[in-house]
Amino acid sequence: KMSNETLKAELGNASWKLFHTILARYPENPTPEQKQHLADYIRSFALVYPCGDCARHFAVLLEKYPPQLSSRKTAALWGCHIHNQVNLRLHKQEYDCSTILEDYDCGCGQDEAEELQ
Ligand code: FAD
């Protein structure tokens, strides 16, 4: 069986991947309803995250850095910044946020092109 540290790291990896990918696919010009959906997702993510200590720390970070949901770029940069705050606490390297949208390509760009048609 894998060690608890390895399991916790794998959960973190998978969670961050989904988190950043969702932010990178958030609409460029979100409607109030779309903003609410993302706000609800982020709040629920913090509430249900299964590592209790992580969830508590993340909730404190959310208070300090409230989600910025005015556009895709803004939301993706906010997500990158808050992950960097977690990195800082865990003594990990700071991530370069300048290519955040390209870094989290879901492979579903075609869906968006179809929506615009
Ligand atoms: P991760 O931090 O998991 O990152 C995965 C990949 O994302 C990296 O390899 C890199 O390619 C990329 N990345 C790194 N930084 C960024 C960024 N700023 N923006 C975008 N992409 C980036 N672990 C604990 O031990 N204690 C905690 O309190 C804790 N709190 C957590 C809170 C949350 C909400 C989450 C989701 C995870 C938490 N974790 C915590 C887990 C921790 O953040 C890492 O996921 C875990 O330590 C594995 O780290 P990693 O080095 O593999 O990279």
Side-chain angles (χ1 to χ4, degrees):
K1 186 177 180 305
M2 281 189 283
S3 75
N4 281 344
E5 281 313 306
T6 306
L7 291 167
K8 195 157 128 180
E10 281 202 347
L11 174 67
N13 256 277
S15 304
W16 285 124
K17 173 87 178 178
L18 177 61
F19 183 81
H20 292 300
T21 307
I22 286 175
L23 296 180
R25 298 303 299 173
Y26 180 62
E28 314 260 9
N29 296 299
T31 63
E33 193 184 23
Q34 288 168 323
K35 273 187 200 169
Q36 191 59 52
H37 287 159
L38 189 58
D40 290 346
Y41 166 75
I42 293 166
R43 200 164 45 95
S44 302
F45 176 75
L47 288 172
V48 304
Y49 195 74
C51 152
D53 264 355
C54 307
R56 271 188 293 280
H57 288 128
F58 195 65
V60 174
L61 284 177
L62 282 182
E63 288 277 314
K64 194 166 173 193
Y65 305 104
Q68 309 270 306
L69 307 180
S70 59
S71 72
R72 169 179 295 176
K73 183 90 189 193
T74 306
L77 284 175
W78 168 82
C80 192
H81 174 70
I82 205 156
H83 188 170
N84 270 335
Q85 294 299 312
V86 175
N87 290 341
L88 193 67
R89 215 176 62 79
L90 300 178
H91 307 291
K92 287 179 192 280
Q93 248 195 318
E94 184 178 356
Y95 187 85
D96 174 6
C97 296
S98 62
T99 57
I100 190 74
L101 293 179
E102 292 80 17
D103 296 348
Y104 289 90
D105 184 344
C106 63
C108 45
Q110 189 56 31
D111 299 357
E112 193 167 71
E114 281 165 10
E115 273 167 30
L116 291 172
Q117 276 174 11

